[in-house]
Amino acid sequence: MTTIFEDRLHRSQNALAEQGVDALVLFPSPNLYYLTGFEEEPAERHLLAFVTPEDFAIVAPTMYAGQIMEETFIDHVDDWDDGEDPMAVVEDVLDRLDVSGGEVLLDDRMFALFSLDLQEALPEASFGLASEVLDDLRITKDETELEALREAGRISDEACVAVRELGADAVGLTEAELVEEIRAEIESRGGEGFSFDPIVGSGPHGAQPHYRHGDREIRAGEPVILDFGTRYDGYPGDQTRTVVFDGEPPAEFEEIHAVVHDALDAAVEAVEPGVTAGSIDDAARSVIEEAGYGEQFLHRTGHGLGLEVHEEPYIVSGNDTVLEPGMVHSIEPGIYLEGEYGARIEDIVVVTEDGCERLNDSPRTWEPL
Ligand code: ZN
Ligand code: ZN
């Protein structure tokens, strides 16, 4: 039985053949994991996988060889010991795979160090980015990936509800303390930590869309942006709710929150196969513009989600990528009043045959639960 990874490797080889690409060279990255199941942090030693339309090889330090063969379908590693010249091994592999020039695509995340080595080893080749081939494969999720994304969404939602239930008890906690509360809720539900550095933006901090968290104390009556997710089976969740833990929010906040909620719903309603990613941004943005807050919507409407928290398709004005069933992306409109507060609501959706499936479903209201 072939594994899901071998199947992906074969599909990538077919895509290389179809596009006339001679070789793909990967580095520890989500691309390498996607095709082999091998996960490792990028580092200074030469660890490079070579994919050609017909063949596959991996060059790695000897100390990784056993691990690679145990964790993946790969049954041979061209290894090198510390003190040896890894490029001599790379050159042998290039000879064996008959790669001497043509079109070679390098992992988008490859360090310049290795890119330059490969350019020197292949002076006749023309170079491009691996995403030219792999984005088209990775953008559509298979059922295994969707199951992991659903579970990550479910755990993230439950953790969000649990911290919102703190109500008045959250008042006086610092943003960083609330992050630890969220972490505990995630981990008690089997989540694999945070999928990205979480955002707890209280009051004026919420007006900075990419603020993370700090030592400011949460106060009664102020909006707090909760943007976080966990990972499950390697796949991330990502959701945002803007909440008031206790007391009365500023008068204009209720209206702003309602506009953001309407923008979210309008964009969700617009998602279906055959429409462009850009049109989803337009759907959210037009609601906010009509309400007079266009200038305060400071970012694109969303991003794709898969092995990476931000990937294709980007839900941004002018993106003519056509949505297809199995694509997964966020919808996260927001309005930000500098120096006062912000409001953002974010759900992840999967494009289906006739619309979309929402992967987040915790209450989108701001009131205490
Ligand atoms: Zn988010
Ligand atoms: Zn997001």
Side-chain angles (χ1 to χ4, degrees):
M1 197 186 97
T2 56
T3 63
I4 191 169
F5 298 107
E6 286 168 284
D7 180 55
R8 290 174 184 166
L9 182 63
H10 292 149
R11 283 195 289 135
S12 75
Q13 289 174 316
N14 291 340
L16 294 180
E18 269 168 32
Q19 295 179 38
V21 176
D22 295 87
L24 189 62
V25 190
L26 302 178
F27 178 66
S29 69
N31 285 330
L32 181 64
Y33 176 79
Y34 186 77
L35 294 188
T36 66
F38 182 61
E39 197 173 10
E40 182 52 41
E41 294 293 312
E44 78 287 2
R45 289 186 173 94
H46 288 66
L47 199 170
L48 301 168
F50 298 83
V51 184
T52 68
E54 304 291 335
D55 221 336
F56 174 83
I58 187 163
V59 172
T62 305
M63 60 181 185
Y64 285 103
Q67 186 189 345
I68 291 170
M69 290 190 283
E70 192 181 308
E71 291 175 5
T72 72
F73 62 86
I74 297 165
D75 55 14
H76 174 76
V77 175
D78 288 279
D79 60 343
W80 58 275
D81 292 319
D82 282 346
E84 273 186 316
D85 175 13
M87 283 309 292
V89 179
V90 166
E91 280 168 20
D92 285 348
V93 165
L94 290 171
D95 274 351
R96 191 173 80 230
L97 300 188
D98 203 21
V99 178
S100 56
E103 177 81 11
V104 176
L105 303 183
L106 304 182
D107 202 315
D108 298 44
R109 300 294 184 83
M110 186 180 288
F111 291 170
L113 177 71
F114 305 113
S115 306
L116 293 178
D117 275 353
L118 289 161
Q119 285 176 22
E120 206 177 304
L122 294 167
E124 307 290 308
S126 67
F127 290 90
L129 294 174
S131 54
E132 292 169 30
V133 164
L134 294 183
D135 276 1
D136 276 354
L137 299 182
R138 285 179 50 189
I139 198 170
T140 306
K141 274 63 185 178
D142 59 40
E143 201 45 47
T144 311
E145 294 180 289
L146 291 178
E147 272 311 308
L149 288 162
R150 283 188 189 103
E151 190 63 7
R154 192 185 62 76
I155 296 170
S156 305
D157 280 1
E158 284 187 14
C160 191
V161 168
V163 295
R164 290 180 67 181
E165 284 173 346
L166 287 172
D169 289 343
V171 174
L173 293 181
T174 67
E175 295 163 345
E177 284 167 341
L178 196 67
V179 164
E180 292 314 309
E181 297 282 338
I182 299 169
R183 188 194 304 279
E185 297 295 349
I186 279 174
E187 286 174 358
S188 75
R189 289 170 172 78
E192 298 156 7
F194 284 116
S195 47
F196 56 90
D197 195 20
I199 297 174
V200 174
S202 65
H205 285 163
Q208 303 163 20
H210 258 254
Y211 175 82
R212 296 299 176 170
H213 53 266
D215 292 329
R216 187 177 185 281
E217 281 183 14
I218 293 163
R219 298 175 196 165
E222 69 181 9
V224 183
I225 291 188
L226 303 174
D227 183 351
F228 62 84
T230 186
R231 270 184 196 271
Y232 189 83
D233 254 356
Y235 283 79
D238 181 11
Q239 61 79 56
T240 307
R241 298 291 182 260
T242 302
V243 308
V244 176
F245 283 101
D246 190 36
E248 284 299 307
E252 196 185 3
F253 170 72
E254 231 173 304
E255 180 199 329
I256 283 177
H257 190 276
V259 171
V260 170
H261 196 166
D262 287 348
L264 172 79
D265 285 347
V268 169
E269 192 62 34
V271 176
E272 60 179 342
V275 305
T276 65
S279 73
I280 307 306
D281 184 82
D282 298 342
R285 199 164 300 279
S286 61
V287 170
I288 291 178
E289 280 171 356
E290 275 163 31
Y293 293 103
E295 295 286 306
Q296 283 79 40
F297 182 10
L298 303 174
H299 51 73
R300 65 188 177 211
T301 294
H303 53 83
L305 190 88
L307 283 173
E308 292 171 278
V309 178
H310 288 179
E311 59 177 47
E312 296 287 346
Y314 291 100
I315 308 302
V316 62
S317 176
N319 184 354
D320 56 13
T321 300
V322 174
L323 299 186
E324 291 172 27
M327 290 184 182
V328 176
H329 64 82
S330 75
I331 298 178
E332 49 184 302
I335 295 175
Y336 306 93
L337 303 189
E338 202 186 336
E340 296 181 60
Y341 55 82
R344 179 167 70 255
I345 313 176
E346 172 180 24
D347 285 344
I348 303 300
V349 301
V350 184
V351 183
T352 59
E353 294 296 336
D354 56 0
C356 71
E357 169 192 351
R358 282 167 116 133
L359 298 192
N360 300 100
D361 204 25
S362 76
R364 298 178 185 86
T365 50
W366 60 264
E367 290 91 342
L369 292 181

